[in-house]
Amino acid sequence: MITYCNHVSPTFGSYLASFHAPGKDYGYLMTTKTTLARAGFILGALIISSVIGLKHTFASPILGQKIYYEGGSIQVTVLPYDASYTSALYLFSTPSPLFIAYNTDVGKVVQINNLQSLGVPVGAELVFGIIVNNTGNEFVIGPASGNSDNFVHAEVDYSQSSAGGVANISFEDLASGIIQGLAVTGVSEPDYNDANFQIIGGIGLAAIPEPMSLILLGVGLAAVVGVYYRKRDDS
């Protein structure tokens, strides 16, 4: 459904006793367990900080960025623009392109309550794009390969909020980002401000590979665990 509107403890002694068994090296056991505890704490802290950090990785616009559907509703707001052409925003992930708004409808808010009912499964890429009325050209977000001129036509400024993901999408409405046959003083193209929209709600970014630092730390922790169990078996 699409809706339109206008606006935006135990003691240390008992702990030792729990590990009491003839032939064991208590000092080694305690040192190893302390090392394991510390390594586990560090690994956990790094994982948590990494997850939090990934939510805010894209603090500035990224050319060719993709966004994905995470379920629930989304809200689209038309933002101010700077262009002489009129462009219509569509969602091309549905079986038939879903018209949302024009770039000229500044301030308009469109609520899409359930994309799944419109044929978009959770996890699917959300391919937003514009059709430029003046030229008939169609351009979508994502990498250059998605467009007929093999040019990146949108940048995405992604962040997180209490309402879900937030993606400010800014489009370039000229083919290859060039003013063809014209010499316009003071105009720099591509400027990526010809059609601007904000998407809020059940959206997110593609999974990002785990940082190498976490992988190395995990390998180190596994090695410590291996040494501990080998020593315990030898005892």
Side-chain angles (χ1 to χ4, degrees), residues 58-75:
F58 298 95
S60 59
I62 302 295
L63 286 172
Q65 177 65 53
K66 295 180 179 182
I67 59 176
Y68 294 80
Y69 183 47
E70 293 188 345
S73 64
I74 65 171
Q75 177 179 284

Side-chain angles (χ1 to χ4, degrees), residues 46-47 49-51 54 208-218:
L46 283 175
I47 291 174
S49 63
S50 176
V51 170
L54 290 180
I208 301 173
E210 187 176 75
M212 184 56 67
S213 59
L214 287 183
I215 296 175
L216 292 175
L217 183 57

